[in-house]
């Protein structure tokens, strides 16, 4: 009788790494390189597009996990092998994005007591309703954050705050950077895990800080200044397909959420 032993892969990597994660990392590395060697507005647009994609990918994973495993316990999953649904970003014993995304720090507003999970059908006051509305996963906040960078010139139309808008954006980037340090600490030293989705967003978050500081120093305070360069110098052949991809992913995530389990 011949016993076939499945060969173990280096570092415990499985097929998800070689067929999904590795190609994505190679592609995003090229995109990051393009962003970091471009002018400030082009860099902002590219990071916005890429950050949006990763946030939407994270939301897709979170919704799918909640549908497949209602009440998913990140530290004690009922199905450790994730047979009902295994995310593309789970690719090694030490690299499970499902564990990270579904952990308490994955909703930092709830973690710090700012938002609140409301019981189904419970009668609550206006304040609790507001806290319930903002009880969203971190990637949902990331979608808003990166979308604001992507469409930054349009926000210069907002009256009153226009003179301070670049510095407000810079302050927001610094705040997100501080939060990112905290999340990275939890990832490495509390959860002892690696999440390619999270780390990709961390890179974009940190890269936006010096980029936004440079935009502040340019003193471009009106939409007309961006005439002909609303999306920087990003080639249309790259920009429009990426915009469509992000839009399609956003709609897909929303439909998945509204459809519910089953």
């Amino acid at each position: 009788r011949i016993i076939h032993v499945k060969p173990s892969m280096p570092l415990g990597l499985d097929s998800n790494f070689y067929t999904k994660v590795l190609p994505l990392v190679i592609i995003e590395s090229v995109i990051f390189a393009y962003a970091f060697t471009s002018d400030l507005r082009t860099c902002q647009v590219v990071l916005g597009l890429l950050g949006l994609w990763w946030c939407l990918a994270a939301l897709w994973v979170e919704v799918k996990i909640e549908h497949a495993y209602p009440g998913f316990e990140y530290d004690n999953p009922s199905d450790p092998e994730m047979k009902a649904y295994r995310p593309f970003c789970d690719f090694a014993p030490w690299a499970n994005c499902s564990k990270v995304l579904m952990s308490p720090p994955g909703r930092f507003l709830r973690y710090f007591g700012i938002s609140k999970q409301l019981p189904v059908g419970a009668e609550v006051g206006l304040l609790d309703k507001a806290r319930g509305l903002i009880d969203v996963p971190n990637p949902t906040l990331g979608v808003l954050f990166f979308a604001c960078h992507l469409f930054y010139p349009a926000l210069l139309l907002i009256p009153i705050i226009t003179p301070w808008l670049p510095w407000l954006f810079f302050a927001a980037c610094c705040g997100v950077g501080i939060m990112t340090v905290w999340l990275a600490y939890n990832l490495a030293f509390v959860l002892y895990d690696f999440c390619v989705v999270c780390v990709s967003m961390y890179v974009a978050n940190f890269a936006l800080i010096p980029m936004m500081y440079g935009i502040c120093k340019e003193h471009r305070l009106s939409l007309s200044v961006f005439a002909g360069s609303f999306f920087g110098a990003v080639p249309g052949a790259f920009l429009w397909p990426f915009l469509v991809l992000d839009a399609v992913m956003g709609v897909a995530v929303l439909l998945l959420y509204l459809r519910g389990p089953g």
Side-chain angles (χ1 to χ4, degrees):
R1 180 181 175 185
I2 299 176
I3 300 176
H4 296 280
V5 179
K6 186 177 180 180
S8 59
M9 295 187 180
L11 301 176
L13 300 173
D14 62 26
S15 60
N16 268 1
F17 176 78
Y18 295 103
T19 61
K20 299 170 185 175
V21 173
L22 182 59
L24 283 172
V25 170
I26 292 173
I27 292 170
E28 79 159 345
S29 297
V30 173
I31 294 175
F32 274 132
Y34 169 61
F36 298 156
T37 55
S38 301
D39 64 89
L40 293 172
R41 176 57 187 154
T42 299
C43 178
Q44 185 181 31
V45 170
V46 174
L47 292 178
L49 288 167
L50 191 57
L52 265 178
W53 191 91
W54 280 113
C55 287
L56 292 168
L59 286 173
W60 177 271
V61 168
E62 291 192 35
V63 175
K64 287 284 287 184
I65 289 175
E66 188 58 37
H67 286 179
Y69 302 100
F72 181 81
E73 297 182 18
Y74 77 99
D75 54 349
N76 185 30
S78 58
D79 176 17
E81 295 183 9
M82 305 289 285
K83 292 186 287 291
Y85 170 68
R86 186 162 182 269
F88 75 95
C89 43
D90 284 12
F91 59 85
W94 48 269
N96 291 291
C97 69
S98 55
K99 175 181 178 181
V100 179
L101 294 175
M102 304 302 283
S103 67
R107 289 179 181 247
F108 89 95
L109 291 179
R110 183 194 297 177
Y111 188 90
F112 288 108
I114 300 171
S115 67
K116 182 179 181 180
Q117 185 178 18
L118 301 180
V120 178
E123 292 291 334
V124 295
L126 187 61
L127 178 59
D128 281 342
K129 285 183 180 179
R131 293 177 67 192
L133 286 174
I134 61 172
D135 184 35
V136 295
N138 294 349
T140 301
L141 302 174
V143 168
L144 179 62
F145 178 69
F146 287 111
C148 285
H149 279 287
L150 183 57
F151 299 103
Y152 170 77
L155 299 180
L156 292 170
L157 294 173
I158 301 175
I160 302 176
I161 67 169
T162 297
W164 299 282
L165 188 66
W167 289 105
L168 289 174
F169 259 66
F170 176 66
C173 288
C174 291
V176 169
I178 293 171
M179 184 194 74
T180 300
V181 171
W182 176 76
L183 289 171
Y185 171 83
N186 275 278
L187 175 66
F189 301 108
V190 177
L191 299 173
Y192 300 106
D193 210 288
F194 177 83
C195 170
V196 67
V197 176
C198 306
V199 171
S200 297
M201 288 189 279
Y202 297 168
V203 174
N205 289 344
F206 285 126
L208 283 168
I209 297 175
M211 180 282 306
M212 197 63 226
Y213 181 75
I215 287 181
C216 289
K217 302 297 286 185
E218 287 184 340
H219 301 292
R220 302 170 74 183
L221 299 177
S222 68
L223 179 60
S224 60
V225 176
F226 292 91
S229 60
F230 187 91
F231 290 113
V234 181
F238 173 81
L239 171 67
W240 299 112
F242 214 146
L243 272 174
V244 171
L245 175 63
D246 282 348
V248 169
M249 284 188 65
V251 172
V253 170
L254 180 61
L255 292 176
L256 180 68
Y257 174 77
L258 294 175
R259 189 181 67 190

